[in-house]
Amino acid sequence: MTDPVLHTITTVLRRAPEWVRHDLVAKDAGTRERAEEALAAMIAAALHAQP
């Protein structure tokens, strides 16, 4: 990955809401999937917003 991409992803991860962090380690597969999809959407939006 390029440095700007890595920086963007790292920034999104640092700013991820607590519920996403919590749900990523949930035992329930549906809960984990929801958190994964939310995080993926946040990362995609941040990458799309890059110049």
Side-chain angles (χ1 to χ4, degrees), residues 26-50:
K27 291 182 181 181
D28 178 63
T31 302
R32 276 194 322 272
E33 185 176 337
R34 179 183 63 146
E36 290 164 357
E37 290 175 357
L39 185 55
M42 286 184 249
I43 292 170
L47 291 173
H48 183 67
Q50 280 188 333

Side-chain angles (χ1 to χ4, degrees), residues 14-33:
R14 285 184 183 140
R15 295 179 181 172
E18 187 60 34
W19 73 265
V20 170
R21 295 170 184 268
H22 179 268
D23 288 1
L24 283 171
V25 296
K27 291 182 181 181
D28 178 63
T31 302
R32 276 194 322 272
E33 185 176 337

